[in-house]
Amino acid sequence: MLDLKLIRARCFRVIALAGVLLSAEAAFAQSPKLITLDQAIDLAIAHNHSLKASQTLILQSQAQEITANLRPNPSLSADSQFNPFFHPGDFTLDNLNENQQFDIGIGYLFERGGKRQHRLQAARDATAVTRAQVADAERSLIFQVASQFVAVLLAESTLQFANEDLKSFQQTADIGEAQFKAGFIGEGDYLKIKLQLLQFQTDVSSARLDKMQALVSLRGLLGNNAVPADFDVMGDLAYQPVKGGVEDFQLRAMQERPDFKAAQLGITAAQSQISLAKANGKVDVSATYDFSHVAGSTTGSIFAGFDLPIFNRNQGEIARTKYALTQAQEQEQAASDTVISDVANAYAAVKSNDEVVQLYTSGYLKQAQDSRDISEYAYKRGAASLLDFLDAERSYRSAQLAYRQALANYMTAVEQLKQAVGTRNLP
């Protein structure tokens, strides 16, 4: 009886502990998940459905390698001749042995010119091109994720600023209300303060909506199953200088860009197609061995046959593949030009946005803040008009928002440069 009570007590403790663990796990699952940019990129690569669909192209191409490496199937034939179907009485062992003919043959197509080897090599080269193209799709996805991540950071920074600005101006509105009740300011000035407060409140609502929409768009790139609906991001709008010249980036891009690699591999694949077309122009030989039983005698026969290459020597396909090689070479040159121009444009965008950020940090931000603080101080002590204070407030707000947008533009330009170079490790 004691043992039964002890077992029950232990069971209750186990059930209670399991309930606590499940509750903790549920609370953890319900808490927002904070992710960094690197984590967002990893999640997108692992869960983005468009990229995963593209990755199946590699598997499909590898399956085609198996097909290309297959040998022809042997053929089996059999026949029975001179059967006495209309004289059933003649179906005797002696008649079958002496008068009827039975043949069993096995044949095989001998491919000449190394067709199977050339097919396999062409399929492998096609797989290499597909793999580079999928890598290029991954490069584009990474840029989309990084750009959207920056958009979320901008929305978060704008929302924080809007809340801080609203809180600061709320104090001014409270002072204005007290001054209006005391008769120090008129109703017109008080209404202007209230209208400006409404603008700040509207800014907060708009910034909150922008952040929510930016997070939804980012989640769509990562995959809705990759992160919970209430996830958020970790990071800030920050300026990080980019070192290096445009020529250095262009040289590295020629080594890193997967689309350029795909164009280079396309030349190799085109050359493999030419070799395959020439091999297909070689005549194959069909050979058959027959085992025959005729009139009580058993014999073996060997047959061989092949087409006479008088008219069809696969000339058209050979010519087509040569033109395809020229096409691939031109596409490689076009891809090279694209890489050079992409890097040049992205580098120019980085430098331009860098100059804009430097303009704000060199003094404009501090001047706007000092002007606002001086106007606010003077207004609260009756040394400045309400219009002067509101104008300084609007200038400060515009400068802060423009600076945040400039930072976001710069970070996006850096991400574009990374995409143009084909690597996330810039000097």
Side-chain angles (χ1 to χ4, degrees):
M1 192 70 178
L2 293 176
D3 293 339
L4 181 59
K5 290 182 179 180
L6 180 60
I7 292 173
R8 287 179 178 176
R10 290 180 177 177
C11 289
F12 284 131
R13 285 198 296 269
V14 171
I15 293 173
L17 179 60
V20 172
L21 292 176
L22 289 175
S23 299
E25 183 178 357
F28 176 79
Q30 294 176 357
S31 61
K33 182 178 180 181
L34 298 177
I35 61 173
T36 63
L37 175 57
D38 291 337
Q39 290 173 333
I41 291 174
D42 292 339
L43 288 171
I45 293 175
H47 298 282
N48 183 270
H49 295 292
S50 296
L51 181 61
K52 292 173 70 175
S54 298
Q55 290 170 344
T56 63
L57 296 175
I58 300 176
L59 301 177
Q60 295 177 44
S61 186
Q62 289 174 337
Q64 290 177 341
E65 293 180 23
I66 298 175
T67 302
N69 198 35
L70 295 178
R71 292 177 170 84
N73 288 324
S75 60
L76 178 66
S77 62
D79 67 83
S80 176
Q81 303 181 42
F82 314 117
N83 295 301
F85 291 116
F86 301 103
H87 302 84
D90 292 338
F91 275 102
T92 63
L93 292 177
D94 291 339
N95 186 49
L96 294 175
N97 184 45
E98 298 295 335
N99 298 323
Q100 294 176 229
Q101 177 178 341
F102 302 94
D103 299 297
I104 298 177
I106 185 168
Y108 188 76
L109 177 67
F110 291 93
E111 294 183 311
R112 297 179 61 248
K115 290 183 177 63
R116 183 173 62 88
Q117 292 81 359
H118 287 296
R119 283 198 306 269
L120 179 59
Q121 187 59 50
R124 287 174 174 172
D125 291 339
T127 300
V129 173
T130 302
R131 187 176 287 108
Q133 291 172 341
V134 172
D136 190 55
E138 181 178 315
R139 178 180 70 97
S140 299
L141 175 63
I142 291 174
F143 172 68
Q144 294 176 14
V145 171
S147 298
Q148 193 58 43
F149 195 93
V150 173
V152 175
L153 293 180
L154 174 61
E156 172 64 24
S157 179
T158 302
L159 178 59
Q160 291 178 356
F161 173 73
N163 282 321
E164 293 171 359
D165 220 15
L166 175 61
K167 182 179 179 181
S168 175
F169 196 81
Q170 183 65 57
Q171 299 175 355
T172 302
D174 294 340
I175 295 174
E177 182 178 5
Q179 291 177 338
F180 170 67
K181 291 180 179 179
F184 291 109
I185 62 173
E187 184 177 3
D189 288 344
Y190 177 65
L191 291 177
K192 292 178 182 178
I193 295 176
K194 296 292 289 183
L195 290 175
Q196 187 65 35
L197 180 63
L198 175 63
Q199 179 63 52
F200 287 129
Q201 293 170 337
T202 303
D203 290 345
V204 171
S205 298
S206 298
R208 188 178 295 114
L209 175 62
D210 290 342
K211 181 183 178 183
M212 182 197 70
Q213 292 176 337
L215 285 171
V216 170
S217 298
L218 179 59
R219 189 186 183 204
L221 292 173
L222 305 184
N224 289 335
N225 297 328
V227 291
D230 57 348
F231 86 105
D232 209 336
V233 302
M234 295 176 58
D236 299 302
L237 293 175
Y239 169 79
Q240 293 182 349
V242 174
K243 300 178 181 179
V246 63
E247 293 83 4
D248 298 330
F249 291 129
Q250 288 172 338
L251 180 60
R252 188 169 182 183
M254 299 296 286
Q255 301 171 349
E256 299 286 347
R257 282 276 289 261
D259 55 340
F260 182 65
K261 290 181 180 179
Q264 290 179 316
L265 292 171
I267 296 178
T268 303
Q271 292 170 339
S272 296
Q273 290 294 329
I274 293 176
S275 299
L276 177 59
K278 291 180 178 179
N280 287 334
K282 302 295 183 180
V283 175
D284 297 332
V285 177
S286 297
T288 304
Y289 176 80
D290 278 353
F291 174 84
S292 302
H293 179 81
V294 182
S297 177
T298 301
T299 60
S301 303
I302 298 176
F303 301 91
F306 56 89
D307 296 333
L308 297 176
I310 297 175
F311 304 109
N312 183 2
R313 297 186 298 276
N314 209 31
Q315 306 96 313
E317 187 63 14
I318 293 174
R320 186 199 66 79
T321 53
K322 289 181 178 179
Y323 292 131
L325 174 60
T326 302
Q327 179 187 20
Q329 291 170 342
E330 293 297 333
Q331 289 175 339
E332 191 261 351
Q333 290 297 321
S336 175
D337 294 340
T338 299
V339 170
I340 296 299
S341 60
D342 285 351
V343 173
N345 290 332
Y347 185 80
V350 169
K351 288 302 180 182
S352 176
N353 286 282
D354 187 302
E355 293 176 359
V356 175
V357 172
Q358 296 299 330
L359 287 175
Y360 281 102
T361 57
S362 63
Y364 286 113
L365 282 177
K366 188 175 185 305
Q367 292 172 7
Q369 183 171 359
D370 291 344
S371 176
R372 195 278 305 264
D373 294 342
I374 292 172
S375 297
E376 182 181 15
Y377 181 86
Y379 168 71
K380 290 180 179 180
R381 286 158 179 76
S385 67
L386 176 62
L387 291 178
D388 291 338
F389 168 63
L390 294 180
D391 183 65
E393 179 67 39
R394 282 190 292 268
S395 298
Y396 169 73
R397 173 176 169 274
S398 298
Q400 285 290 334
L401 292 177
Y403 172 63
R404 284 164 170 76
Q405 185 64 59
L407 275 178
N409 292 341
Y410 174 78
M411 293 177 66
T412 302
V414 172
E415 293 297 336
Q416 187 176 7
L417 180 60
K418 292 179 180 179
Q419 183 203 25
V421 176
T423 178
R424 297 198 56 78
N425 298 320
L426 295 180

